[in-house]
Amino acid sequence: MRKQFAVIGLGRFGGSICQSLRKQGMEVLAIDTNEDKVNKFANVVTHAVVADSTDENTLKSLGIRNFDHVIVAIGDNIQSSILTTLLLVEEGVKHITVKAQNDYHEKVLNKIGAHRVVHPERDMGVRIAHNIVSKNVLDYLELSDEYSIVELMAGTSVSGKSLIELNVRAKYGCNIMAVKRGDEINVSPSANESLQIGDVLIVIGADKDLTRLEHALF
Ligand code: ATP
Ligand code: ATP
Ligand code: CA
């Protein structure tokens, strides 16, 4: 059976989640208090309804507990976001992902039982900042406060060199998990093979080590 998702709040973030879930073939119920937003998404999602998610009876009548995953993408109204999340937790929804507006909001969401709290503006800011500082840093994924995964594009300073020559693990304490070349992805890169310009290295390590590596070689 296809997974059933509900997305509450059809701003830019919620709207984009709806579109991407549909593209992946998922069933999506879209909910918003704003009728214009709901009409706009009527053709995108499986079902779109005008409803206020802070109303417990409304959520019950939509059968919200039966959805595999509910995403709360209410933007600026933090109070509504918190109340909605609380009701979803009380209904026993198995997976609840909520977009947080700030650190305080995030803390409350975690306390009341949201399973995952996302912070797209802040996280995208971090990713873009790394990309701006070095154009060879393509992407950046935070694993914890200390550890991350980065995608680094091989330029002239590493091309023609092997992993042994670069000695990344010993010198920078980072591991190259995979190397992408065109459409091919090699998940156990050989230590002897030479890198080429345009290869994308997927590297895992401590932030301070990754920063040293980025600055030295990319
Ligand atoms: P984003 O920040 O995601 O880019 P945005 O800033 O446009 O988008 P908002 O407009 O603040 O986000 O909120 C997203 C949507 O949430 C709005 O369309 C709003 O109508 C809807 N919304 C707010 N409160 C509720 C509620 N209680 N029930 C359902 N939808 C709600
Ligand atoms: P180690 O104990 O560090 O694995 P090794 O001599 O057994 O050393 P080799 O596979 O021969 O390992 O690689 C020599 C060096 O090349 C490593 O110490 C490391 O610095 C670098 N290296 C090889 N593969 C990687 C990788 N995937 N990521 C980062 N560095 C690597
Ligand atoms: Ca917003």
Side-chain angles (χ1 to χ4, degrees), residues 163-171 174-177 189-191:
L163 297 186
I164 291 184
E165 286 174 275
L166 292 173
N167 205 9
V168 170
R169 196 180 297 136
K171 258 196 183 151
C174 303
N175 271 297
I176 298 166
M177 300 194 295
S190 130

Side-chain angles (χ1 to χ4, degrees), residues 147-203:
Y147 295 92
S148 303
I149 294 175
V150 291
E151 276 193 5
L152 303 170
M153 167 108 81
T156 47
S157 52
V158 300
S159 76
K161 301 213 171 81
S162 68
L163 297 186
I164 291 184
E165 286 174 275
L166 292 173
N167 205 9
V168 170
R169 196 180 297 136
K171 258 196 183 151
Y172 302 98
C174 303
N175 271 297
I176 298 166
M177 300 194 295
V179 177
K180 283 199 267 187
R181 180 173 296 166
D183 292 336
E184 305 270 295
I185 178 153
N186 182 353
V187 294
S188 56
S190 130
N192 300 305
E193 202 187 322
S194 296
L195 293 168
Q196 296 177 6
I197 287 186
D199 284 356
V200 175
L201 282 61
I202 299 165
V203 190

Side-chain angles (χ1 to χ4, degrees), residues 8 20 44 56 126 148 150 155 175 183:
I8 302 173
S20 180
V44 177
E56 190 173 353
V126 172
S148 303
V150 291
N175 271 297
D183 292 336

